[in-house]
């Protein structure tokens, strides 16, 4: 079972939380996921961080409190050096992995969030199942009641204006071009070296809501309606090495981890 001292406070819908879930699993570390409701999460995150952060994910590990998905990834490498390494030890490769992780975190994260939410809101897609489906029933009911307010906050805080949505689309395409240069157009290659690194996890997890790859939390469910522009983007990506790379990372790396992860991985609420 997951150790009582390792808990990931998260939003199930968050691609930054997906990044940290993947990092934990890639290190072979069992954990308990504590699902939070947007808005009400501040009561928890500000208590945990003594007011320093209102964002997720936050990892609590044997008394250590780490917030920010990149800081979590770096902490796991320091704290668990005997677990599978996700940062190379050779100086040149280590520097390259850290630079790429930082680039994709900064370029992809907020821009995917803005662009995908814009498509979901414009298409009037009901994303309550992904946002609240994993919560315990009482919390799920609270989340459903807050959903109209949460959508307004997402529009105001993340989507903002059509001009910003278009600027995010441009940044996302720039990131895809960078990814294709790094893998030299070969979807089978990792970004650095011959094995999975935190750079691969960051790029794949943060693009996941846009790509909707099988094995990701954002894969379309039977009967689900995908907004037209999002469906068109996914079709365009599948024709490109970058999109094929994203699919392979979930199929070949994320699925392998899910199949072999220790019993007790399943998220739960407290």
């Amino acid at each position: 079972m997951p150790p009582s001292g390792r808990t990931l406070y998260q939003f199930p819908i968050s691609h930054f939380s997906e990044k940290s879930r993947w990092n934990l699993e890639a290190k072979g570390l069992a954990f308990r996921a504590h699902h939070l409701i947007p808005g009400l999460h501040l009561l928890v995150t500000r208590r945990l961080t003594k007011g320093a952060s209102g964002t997720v994910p936050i990892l609590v590990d044997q008394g250590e409190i780490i917030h920010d998905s990149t800081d979590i990834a770096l902490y796991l490498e320091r704290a668990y050096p005997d677990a599978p390494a996700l940062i190379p030890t050779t100086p040149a490769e280590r520097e390259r992995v850290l630079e790429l992780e930082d680039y994709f975190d900064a370029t992809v994260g907020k821009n995917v969030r803005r662009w995908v939410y814009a498509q979901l809101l414009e298409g009037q897609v009901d994303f309550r199942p992904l946002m609240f489906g994993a919560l315990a029933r009482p919390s799920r009911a609270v989340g459903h009641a807050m959903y109209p307010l949460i959508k307004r906050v997402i529009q105001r805080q993340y989507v903002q204006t059509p001009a910003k949505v278009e600027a995010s689309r441009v940044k996302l395409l720039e990131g895809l071009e960078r990814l294709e240069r790094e893998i030299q157009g070969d979807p089978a290659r990792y970004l650095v070296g011959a094995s999975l690194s935190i750079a691969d996890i960051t790029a794949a997890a943060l693009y996941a809501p846009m790509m909707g790859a099988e094995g990701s939390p954002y894969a379309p469910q039977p009967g689900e309606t995908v907004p037209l522009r999002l469906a068109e983007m996914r079709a365009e990506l599948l024709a490109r090495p970058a999109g094929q790379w994203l699919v392979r990372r979930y199929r070949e790396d994320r699925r392998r981890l899910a199949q072999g992860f220790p019993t007790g991985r399943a998220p739960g609420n407290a």
Side-chain angles (χ1 to χ4, degrees), residues 76-125:
L76 294 176
E77 288 299 297
R78 295 192 304 270
Y80 300 98
D82 296 331
L86 298 174
I87 300 177
T89 55
T90 59
E93 287 193 339
R94 177 183 176 85
E95 182 178 355
R96 189 164 166 234
V97 161
L98 294 176
E99 190 273 327
L100 286 170
E101 198 283 337
D102 181 68
Y103 171 80
F104 285 112
D105 184 83
T107 300
V108 177
K110 65 181 181 182
N111 289 306
V112 159
R113 181 173 59 198
R114 173 177 288 129
W115 191 83
V116 172
Y117 268 136
Q119 309 318 308
L120 297 178
L121 291 172
E122 183 178 329
Q124 298 185 344
V125 173

Side-chain angles (χ1 to χ4, degrees), residues 8-198:
L8 184 70
Y9 292 83
Q10 60 139 23
F11 298 148
I13 198 172
S14 163
H15 55 339
F16 287 106
S17 296
E18 165 68 356
K19 173 184 163 186
S20 289
R21 293 192 297 265
W22 192 337
N23 268 293
L24 282 157
E25 294 181 14
K27 295 293 286 183
L29 300 171
F31 66 98
R32 175 175 165 275
H34 186 114
H35 309 305
L36 299 172
I37 298 171
L40 296 181
H41 75 286
L42 294 172
L43 299 173
V44 177
T45 58
R46 288 178 176 168
R47 171 177 58 80
L48 288 172
T49 65
K50 295 180 171 57
S53 175
T55 63
V56 294
I58 295 174
L59 178 67
V60 177
D61 184 23
Q62 312 297 334
E64 293 285 335
I65 298 174
I66 310 96
H67 52 93
D68 181 82
S69 60
T70 295
D71 289 344
I72 289 171
L74 298 178
Y75 163 80
L76 294 176
E77 288 299 297
R78 295 192 304 270
Y80 300 98
D82 296 331
L86 298 174
I87 300 177
T89 55
T90 59
E93 287 193 339
R94 177 183 176 85
E95 182 178 355
R96 189 164 166 234
V97 161
L98 294 176
E99 190 273 327
L100 286 170
E101 198 283 337
D102 181 68
Y103 171 80
F104 285 112
D105 184 83
T107 300
V108 177
K110 65 181 181 182
N111 289 306
V112 159
R113 181 173 59 198
R114 173 177 288 129
W115 191 83
V116 172
Y117 268 136
Q119 309 318 308
L120 297 178
L121 291 172
E122 183 178 329
Q124 298 185 344
V125 173
D126 183 359
F127 46 88
R128 284 178 298 179
L130 185 53
M131 185 170 279
F132 308 124
L135 275 66
R137 184 172 296 179
S139 296
R140 195 183 316 149
V142 172
H144 282 219
M146 293 183 61
Y147 184 60
L149 173 61
I150 290 170
K151 286 201 301 181
R152 290 196 294 272
V153 172
I154 288 172
Q155 174 66 50
R156 184 177 67 250
Q157 184 171 333
Y158 295 142
V159 177
Q160 298 177 342
T161 67
K164 287 184 177 293
V165 173
E166 175 57 20
S168 285
R169 187 188 69 85
V170 171
K171 283 291 186 183
L172 296 177
L173 294 177
E174 290 176 2
L176 292 169
E177 291 169 1
R178 171 74 183 271
L179 195 157
E180 289 176 343
R181 290 196 302 271
E182 296 294 339
I183 62 173
Q184 299 176 31
D186 182 359
R189 294 174 66 101
Y190 290 106
L191 286 168
V192 179
S195 61
L196 188 75
S197 73
I198 64 170

